[in-house]
Amino acid sequence: MRVVIAEDNALLREGLVLLLTSAGHEVVAVAGSGPEIMPALLEHRPDVAVLDVRMPPSFRDEGLRAALEAREKIPGLPVLVLSQYVEETYASELLAGGSSGIGYLLKDRVGRVDEFLDALERVAAGGTALDPEVVTELLTRRKDSPIDSLTPREREVLALMAQGHDNTTIAGTLVVTERAVHKHIGNVFLKLGLPPGDTGHRRVLAVLAYLAHTPQA
């Protein structure tokens, strides 16, 4: 898997390079500031881009802006965005541009190597990987929406779906049967007014699209 990394912290940047190369991936380019990101992406057309949200020169949202621009100029480019904190507005803006091949993780997650590599590979394959804290923020910040009608268990299932987990993983996490998970997912889609389909990435993308386009309180 060919990867472009954009991270201004040299220590973390080199750590990511070492981590990915050790896992058998190829880092084709690195960027240390916002203006360096797009040229690297356009030149190398990687399988996935790992971008820090805040980059020089302003340390605001250079990485996010680059992610949005990249997905316009390179349609379908998988992007995994890293952030120091939960920045719900940034997550919503990223998801609003299309949820396929999108990830948003807190930097602490990088230290959990297996989780980070799993998320990166899921995003590169066109799936979704949202940090659990980001999902919680997205869910709890919306009021007077169909999400309020979900039971606590259905909200747990929705959160795990939004993180990109399959039915088997959800069942193991919640210590319930896959049949029970299937039933909860059906109820979630029914209450959210979404198609009842329960297979593949479509169900995750549909939920994320719904969350991304629900008006903020």
Side-chain angles (χ1 to χ4, degrees):
M1 187 163 65
R2 301 170 66 256
V3 186
V4 166
I5 297 173
E7 168 59 56
D8 65 291
N9 183 301
L11 185 60
L12 179 55
R13 185 172 63 243
E14 293 306 311
L16 285 169
V17 172
L18 179 60
L19 171 61
L20 294 176
T21 53
S22 297
H25 304 303
E26 179 186 4
V27 178
V28 295
V30 295
S33 68
E36 298 175 26
I37 299 175
M38 280 308 303
L41 293 176
L42 291 173
E43 177 182 352
H44 295 282
R45 306 266 170 161
D47 298 312
V48 62
V50 179
L51 310 177
D52 184 11
V53 167
R54 302 189 179 204
M55 298 279 290
S58 72
F59 292 98
R60 286 185 172 178
D61 57 1
E62 284 82 358
L64 175 72
R65 294 299 159 205
L68 296 173
E69 182 181 356
R71 284 172 65 84
E72 287 183 2
K73 294 185 176 180
I74 311 175
L77 173 69
V79 175
L80 177 60
V81 173
L82 301 179
S83 179
Q84 190 69 40
Y85 310 103
V86 177
E87 299 181 89
E88 191 267 347
T89 300
Y90 289 166
S92 293
E93 188 167 355
L94 187 64
L95 290 170
S99 303
S100 178
I102 283 292
Y104 189 106
L105 298 181
L106 297 184
K107 289 186 176 180
D108 288 348
R109 200 70 53 184
V110 177
R112 304 173 191 179
V113 175
D114 290 340
E115 288 185 31
F116 173 72
L117 291 176
D118 177 67
L120 183 67
E121 291 168 6
R122 197 158 65 235
V123 169
T128 305
L130 288 186
D131 195 285
E133 291 188 36
V134 175
V135 173
T136 298
E137 188 78 5
L138 286 170
L139 289 173
T140 57
R141 288 285 291 274
R142 286 161 172 77
K143 305 298 182 182
D144 300 322
S145 78
I147 290 177
D148 294 331
S149 68
L150 301 182
T151 67
R153 177 62 82 186
E154 289 164 357
R155 290 172 68 91
E156 289 178 323
V157 170
L158 174 60
L160 290 168
M161 286 171 59
Q163 290 168 40
H165 297 303
D166 58 22
N167 286 15
T168 301
T169 302
I170 294 174
T173 301
L174 299 180
V175 194
V176 297
T177 66
E178 288 191 46
R179 183 176 180 179
V181 171
H182 182 88
K183 181 178 179 180
H184 288 311
I185 290 173
N187 289 337
V188 167
F189 277 103
L190 181 64
K191 291 179 180 180
L192 297 185
L194 297 169
D198 172 23
T199 59
H201 293 308
R202 288 178 299 174
R203 61 152 188 192
V204 178
L205 302 182
V207 172
L208 290 176
Y210 175 85
L211 293 175
H213 289 94
T214 302
Q216 299 288 312

